[in-house]
């Protein structure tokens, strides 16, 4: 935000960022600590005199309830929470402007200061500013109260009820908060200024080359003084060495209670261009003078680059760049979305190290700290407005969608990493009239030729969006060869079952078999496979087999939980806890070993503990050649060129298909793979068959170089069960696990460690590994992590925290609240509502007819009690009638359709008949997405025949596809 940005030891990331800018002649005060919290609604909590003695002491970022790791199926807390903070403001600030900056509150909230409501905000993914100037008490206590609710709200985006949503509405003040004090002549905050293509600092590059770049800077200055001011704006562009490379100065009078937009142009000679392989950041310093006195300044990090999309792909700075990306959800186990800046940075770092050069921030604007990390590390970002399979014509909802577009562009327009804006509601049936408005709003906010907007390709969207997803017909032909396109999601099947270890979803909960098969299926997809059974899908655009595709984004970077399904979506290349699966290294091997941003790599996709799997060894490498050894015996060498024939399209796009070494037999012991470049060894990976548990090890993710004692930062860690060689005891059988007791003492606490029901402590390992998150204390010292098993294995690790260079506001006088981490909680009260019992009817063998009939031989697959099989119509004629003859009368109470494609939308009705001629409609004009596969209940009705009438489908290019139909009821 226009509040604060710091330079850390590992990257430039924001502490409190609604926009990438830092404070120099403004006072920014940390507002993350010393809050009180109460889960649930209560009367009068906004009042100064309210008694909050029994509330818990918490820090921000904060989730309203610590949750279990696998918390799908609408188990996440939904309700109201209250936060209160006492603080004192010195009289020296009396004539200054004082604002409170929130980076994110999920999802709707009311802000009160000293008993008076000063702000209401809706929407959980973009921050906001509250002006406190006229409500502050000086030199005495102020009381801030925030009422938060994350209950379903169809008028607030994404709008879909959590029980039907493909992620969770984790609630709370889950991103940073800060207090900003400025002079009354100041640079505005773009989210507060609410100006089209204005507010704050807006940087554009209308001309970019290797020899020179033209930089246009629009700066919005506001005068709240009671007199007119002579204002001077000096803008300086500073390189990484601290040298000023361009300067502009403008002077004008700003009338009292008015504002001024300064338009400046700077020229940068021989610019360092921003690119994922060399993400060079400049710093624009904006200095505001009142007469000759410096009264405000902001630093905005910027990257000079030129974007272009053409029919054959994406171009950056005039050169074609193939995009290899992943989709990222912002949620973590236990804390939900409430992760600190260093955890945001670690995600970006892991993506970069995994060979990705791009990320799709699905399906909402993500943390400013994550975007800052993408800027500094070199990850291109698709920014998405909040949306998932939901659209409403309600005026408030429509207005919110358009506001989201305005605000996400205003917040993030200066990020060099953001290259594409998804100003569309993910997989939602939006009308053309809405698309026209959405695109117009975006172009108004970012004039010029550097705005690129994306949506799924269809008959409505193709007229408005200049980049499309899924530009492909079902038969593989290209409907619009001139349209630039990407594949936004690939590599997952929404019906995949990780327990079977044979699908596109895999987890360390089971064995290596699932992760190996996930890699096989994903390579099939990359190489152009369109069969679902083999890992592909027709609308993926054939991925590497398509000569003009601009790139693609695997679903997904991380496993995640969702309200719509009790089973965790194990689609990630890393787990919920960000521990890498084999697929992470598979995709890392797709980058060129000669590119210094990635370099050579080799990794063995095996734990060598499965005799049925490990006679054939899968190795991932981008090197010229790979050698494999087992127990120091040379097994063979394979070259990258020779191996290209195993996946020709993958190799032709510059990727490296996995190497398969067929050894002829299994043998426990040590596997060693060596990667060679020009016949010289450059990298090695070794795997040893796990032996008996011997000791525990505690590790912290790479990339953290300092541990600040600021009272709110977080550090994740892993506890590993190892054998005597230090090898993690990976699962040899599905569900294999070890029970660990974990504790944290000293200058930090184990988040959720006081709630045994969360499964944090005691904790069952997954694949021999447990996970925890530490909240740092406010005083420097030693954090001691301790873990032990009942069998007597134990370990300790010490982290030394250091004093934080953070400015805090003075705490007010308040009751002694008990630290949330020290309140013993015996159980979590579940919020999910149990479903009414339904009795399935056996449909196998029951007569089934479809009119008009197509693919008749596959019709029985609709009722074969197997969701892996299904039927697709060969026609687009409507209505389509599917009739089931139960052969006897039943008292029917519900049905379930498992559709063939998760992103399609269907309109259908259900009718029942006793004689096959006279029909009673029990469900009329249901509008369902392909992921609405839960049972649909209706008032009990008697009948022998059931008819499903499908009257429409979106997108128009799709055909009706059904995997399974189920009916519920009892014989009469």
């Amino acid at each position: 935000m226009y509040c604060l940005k710091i330079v850390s030891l590992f990257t430039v990331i924001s502490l409190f960022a609604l926009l990438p800018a830092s404070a120099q002649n403004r006072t920014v005060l940390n507002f993350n600590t010393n809050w009180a919290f109460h889960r649930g609604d209560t009367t009068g909590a906004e009042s100064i005199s309210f008694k909050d003695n029994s509330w818990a002491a918490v820090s921000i970022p904060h989730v309203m309830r610590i949750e279990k790791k696998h918390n799908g199926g609408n188990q996440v807390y939904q309700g109201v929470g209250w936060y209160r903070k006492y603080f004192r403001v010195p009289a020296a600030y009396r004539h200054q402007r004082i604002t409170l900056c929130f980076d994110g509150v999920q999802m709707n909230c009311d802000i009160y200061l000293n008993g008076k409501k000063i702000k209401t905000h809706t929407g959980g993914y973009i921050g906001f500013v509250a002006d406190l100037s006229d409500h502050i008490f000086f030199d005495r206590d102020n009381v801030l109260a925030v009422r938060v609710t994350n209950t379903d709200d169809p008028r607030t985006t994404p709008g879909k009820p959590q029980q039907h949503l493909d992620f969770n509405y984790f609630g709370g003040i889950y991103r940073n908060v800060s207090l900003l004090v400025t002079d009354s002549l100041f640079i505005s905050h773009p989210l507060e200024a609410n100006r089209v293509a204005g507010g704050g600092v807006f940087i554009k590059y209308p001309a970019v080359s290797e020899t020179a770049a033209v930089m246009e800077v629009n700066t919005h200055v506001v005068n709240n003084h009671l007199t007119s001011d002579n204002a001077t704006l000096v803008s300086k562009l500073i390189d990484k060495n601290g040298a000023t490379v361009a300067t502009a100065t403008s002077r004008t009078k700003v009338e009292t209670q008015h504002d001024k937009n300064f338009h400046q142009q700077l020229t940068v000679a021989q610019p360092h261009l921003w690119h994922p392989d060399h993400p060079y950041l400049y710093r624009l310093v904006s200095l505001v003078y009142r007469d000759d006195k410096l009264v405000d300044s902001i630093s905005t990090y910027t990257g000079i680059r030129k974007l272009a999309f053409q029919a054959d792909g994406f171009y950056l700075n005039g050169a074609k760049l193939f995009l290899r990306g992943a989709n990222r959800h912002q949620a973590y186990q236990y804390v939900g979305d409430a992760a600190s800046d260093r955890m945001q940075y670690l995600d970006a770092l892991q993506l970069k190290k995994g060979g990705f050069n791009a990320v799709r921030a699905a399906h909402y604007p993500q943390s400013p700290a994550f975007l800052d990390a993408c800027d500094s590390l070199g990850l291109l970002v698709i920014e998405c407005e909040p949306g998932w399979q939901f659209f409403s014509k309600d005026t408030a909802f429509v207005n919110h969608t358009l506001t989201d577009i305005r605000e996400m562009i205003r917040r993030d327009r200066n990020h060099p990493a953001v290259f594409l804006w998804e100003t569309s509601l993910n997989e939602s049936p939006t009308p053309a009239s809405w698309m026209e408005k959405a695109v117009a709003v975006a172009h108004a906010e970012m004039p010029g030729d550097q705005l690129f907007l994306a949506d799924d390709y269809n008959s409505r969207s193709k007229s408005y969006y200049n980049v499309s997803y899924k530009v492909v017909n079902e038969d593989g032909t290209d409907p619009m060869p001139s349209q630039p396109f990407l594949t936004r999601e690939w590599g997952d099947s929404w019906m995949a079952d990780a327990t079977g270890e044979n699908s596109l979803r895999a987890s360390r909960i089971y064995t290596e078999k699932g992760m190996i098969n996930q890699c096989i299926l994903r390579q099939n997809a990359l190489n152009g496979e369109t069969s679902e059974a083999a890992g592909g899908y027709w609308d993926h655009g054939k991925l590497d087999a398509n000569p003009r595709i601009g790139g693609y984004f695997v679903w997904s970077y991380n496993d995640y939980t969702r309200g719509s399904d009790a089973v965790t979506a194990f689609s990630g290349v890393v787990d919920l806890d960000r521990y890498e699966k084999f697929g992470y290294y598979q995709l890392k091997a797709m980058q060129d070993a000669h590119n210094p941003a990635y370099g050579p790599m080799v990794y063995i996709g095996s734990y060598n503990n499965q005799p049925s799997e490990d006679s054939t060894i899968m190795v991932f490498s981008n090197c010229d050649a790979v050698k494999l050894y087992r127990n120091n015996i040379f097994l063979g060498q394979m070259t990258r060129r020779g191996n290209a024939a195993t996946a020709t399209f993958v190799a032709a796009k510059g990727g490296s298909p996995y190497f398969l070494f067929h050894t002829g037999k299994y043998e426990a012991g040590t596997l060693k793979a060596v990667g060679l470049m020009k016949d010289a060894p450059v990298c090695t990976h070794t795997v040893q068959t796990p032996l008996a548990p011997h000791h525990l090890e505690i590790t912290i993710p790479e990339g953290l170089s300092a541990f600040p004692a600021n009272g709110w930062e977080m550090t994740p860690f892993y506890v590993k069960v190892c054998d005597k060689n230090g090898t993690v005891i990976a699962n040899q059988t599905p569900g294999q696990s070890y029970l660990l007791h974990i504790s944290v003492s000293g200058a930090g606490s184990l988040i959720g460690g006081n709630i045994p029901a969360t499964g944090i402590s005691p904790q069952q390992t997954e694949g021999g590994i447990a996970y925890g998150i530490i909240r740092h204390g406010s005083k420097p010292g030693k954090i001691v992590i301790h873990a032990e098993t009942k069998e007597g294995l134990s370990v300790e690790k010490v982290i030394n925290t250091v004093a934080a260079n953070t400015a805090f506001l003075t705490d007010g006088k308040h009751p002694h609240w008990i630290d949330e981490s020290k309140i013993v909680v015996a159980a979590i009260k579940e919020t999910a509502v149990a479903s009414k019992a339904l009795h399935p009817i056996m449909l196998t063998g029951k007569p089934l007819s479809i009119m008009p009939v197509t693919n008749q031989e596959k019709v029985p697959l609709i009722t074969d009690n197997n969701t892996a099989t299904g039927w697709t119509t060969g026609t687009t004629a409507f209505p389509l009638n599917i009739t089931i003859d139960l052969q006897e009368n039943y008292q029917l109470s519900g049905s379930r359709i498992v559709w063939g494609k998760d992103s399609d939308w269907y309109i259908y009705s259900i009718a029942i008949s006793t004689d096959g001629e006279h029909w009673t409609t029990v469900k009329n004009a249901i509008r369902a997405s392909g992921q609405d596969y839960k049972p649909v209940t209706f008032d009990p009705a008697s009948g022998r025949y059931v008819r499903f009438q499908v009257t429409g489908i979106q997108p128009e290019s799709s055909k009706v596809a059904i995997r399974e139909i189920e009916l519920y009821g009892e014989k009469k």
Side-chain angles (χ1 to χ4, degrees), residues 535-555:
Y537 201 79
W538 68 267
D539 73 0
H540 291 164
K542 293 188 177 181
L543 302 177
D544 282 342
N546 192 315
R548 75 177 194 87
I549 194 170
Y552 41 71
F553 295 75
V554 70
W555 191 271

Side-chain angles (χ1 to χ4, degrees), residues 579 582 585 601-607 617-621 626-629 670-675 682-688:
Y579 201 84
F582 295 166
Y585 300 97
M601 59 79 63
V602 66
Y603 186 89
I604 302 170
S606 168
Y607 298 132
I617 307 300
M618 180 179 284
V619 178
F620 311 112
S621 180
V626 174
K627 290 183 177 179
L628 184 67
Y629 299 83
T670 301
L671 295 169
K672 183 174 76 171
V674 180
V682 292
C683 51
T684 302
H685 183 231
T686 301
V687 168
Q688 291 181 301

Side-chain angles (χ1 to χ4, degrees), residues 772-791:
I773 303 172
I774 298 167
R775 174 85 74 176
H776 295 197
S778 57
K779 296 181 180 179
K782 296 182 183 298
I783 297 176
V784 180
I785 311 170
H786 180 85
E788 62 183 21
T789 70
K790 64 179 181 180
E791 292 80 14

Side-chain angles (χ1 to χ4, degrees), residues 838 893-895 922-923 935-939:
L838 294 172
S893 57
S895 68
V922 293
K923 281 289 184 181
V936 172
T937 59
F938 44 78
D939 292 336

Side-chain angles (χ1 to χ4, degrees), residues 219-455:
T219 308
H220 183 232
V221 176
V222 179
N223 180 16
N224 279 352
H225 284 290
L226 298 178
T227 60
S228 300
D229 285 342
N230 294 315
T232 301
L233 173 69
V234 178
S235 297
K236 296 181 179 181
L237 189 67
I238 299 173
D239 67 14
K240 283 189 175 182
N241 298 319
T244 299
V245 297
T247 304
T249 301
S250 302
R251 296 178 177 86
T252 191
K253 177 179 284 189
V254 185
E255 299 296 332
T256 177
Q257 305 302 309
H258 282 71
D259 55 3
K260 174 67 178 179
N261 286 304
F262 288 83
H263 304 285
Q264 298 175 319
Q265 188 173 95
L266 298 82
T267 300
V268 185
Q270 304 297 320
H272 299 277
L273 301 185
W274 189 96
H275 188 282
D277 294 347
H278 39 82
Y280 194 96
L281 291 178
Y282 290 89
R283 185 164 56 97
L284 180 71
V285 179
S286 306
L287 304 161
V288 177
Y289 294 84
R290 184 186 185 198
D291 295 326
D292 295 324
K293 180 183 178 182
L294 180 64
V295 293
D296 197 13
S297 67
I298 291 177
S299 289
T300 306
Y301 288 91
T302 182
I304 301 173
R305 80 312 188 243
K306 186 77 170 179
L307 309 174
F309 282 89
Q310 298 182 21
D312 67 338
F314 170 68
Y315 288 76
L316 182 61
N317 304 324
K320 191 173 182 180
L321 177 65
F322 194 67
L323 299 169
R324 300 183 185 274
N327 286 270
R328 184 229 186 200
H329 267 306
Q330 67 182 10
Y332 297 75
Q333 61 186 19
Y334 312 141
V335 298
D337 296 339
S340 69
D341 290 357
R342 68 203 283 113
M343 293 178 71
Q344 305 289 339
Y345 171 79
L346 286 173
D347 272 14
L349 179 63
Q350 188 175 48
L351 280 159
K352 184 68 176 183
K353 291 171 66 176
F356 299 104
N357 59 15
V359 58
R360 179 169 173 254
H363 302 287
Y364 37 76
Q366 300 191 7
S367 168
F370 179 73
L371 296 182
D372 288 338
C374 293
D375 287 343
S376 64
L377 292 167
L379 278 172
L380 287 158
V381 178
I382 299 177
E383 177 140 336
C384 308
E385 72 167 305
W388 191 83
Q389 295 193 357
F390 181 85
F391 178 77
S392 169
K393 294 181 180 179
D394 181 271
T395 301
F397 177 84
V398 170
N399 288 340
H400 279 146
T401 65
L402 301 178
T403 297
D404 287 339
I405 293 170
R406 293 186 187 97
E407 292 190 343
M408 73 179 191
I409 292 177
R410 290 170 185 173
R411 190 192 77 163
D412 296 328
R413 61 200 177 191
N414 291 329
H415 282 284
V418 178
F419 77 109
L420 185 61
W421 304 86
E422 197 171 302
T423 54
S424 53
L425 304 175
N426 184 70
E427 297 178 353
S428 302
T430 50
S433 58
W434 180 88
M435 294 178 181
E436 183 177 18
K437 292 177 184 177
V439 169
V441 164
H443 280 291
E445 290 295 340
M446 187 178 281
D449 65 354
Q450 290 298 283
L451 178 72
F452 296 94
L453 308 176
D455 190 11

Side-chain angles (χ1 to χ4, degrees), residues 56-133:
V58 303
S59 291
I60 310 299
H62 183 264
V63 65
M64 290 204 289
R65 189 178 75 182
I66 303 298
E67 304 286 356
K68 295 182 293 186
K69 178 176 183 178
H70 300 291
N71 54 29
N74 205 32
Q75 296 183 65
V76 170
Y77 173 77
Q78 282 192 281
V80 175
W82 277 91
Y83 295 83
R84 282 167 62 89
K85 181 174 173 64
Y86 296 69
F87 63 98
R88 295 174 71 88
V89 178
Y93 295 155
R94 187 179 299 276
H95 300 297
Q96 304 284 83
R97 189 169 189 269
I98 302 173
T99 54
L100 196 60
C101 304
F102 290 86
D103 275 1
V105 179
Q106 186 69 275
M107 76 178 65
N108 299 332
C109 65
D110 296 312
I111 313 296
Y112 301 86
L113 182 63
N114 299 324
K116 182 177 181 180
K117 184 187 287 190
I118 60 169
K119 184 83 174 181
T120 293
H121 185 262
T122 57
Y125 299 104
I126 300 176
F128 59 95
V129 177
D131 188 351
L132 310 185
S133 304

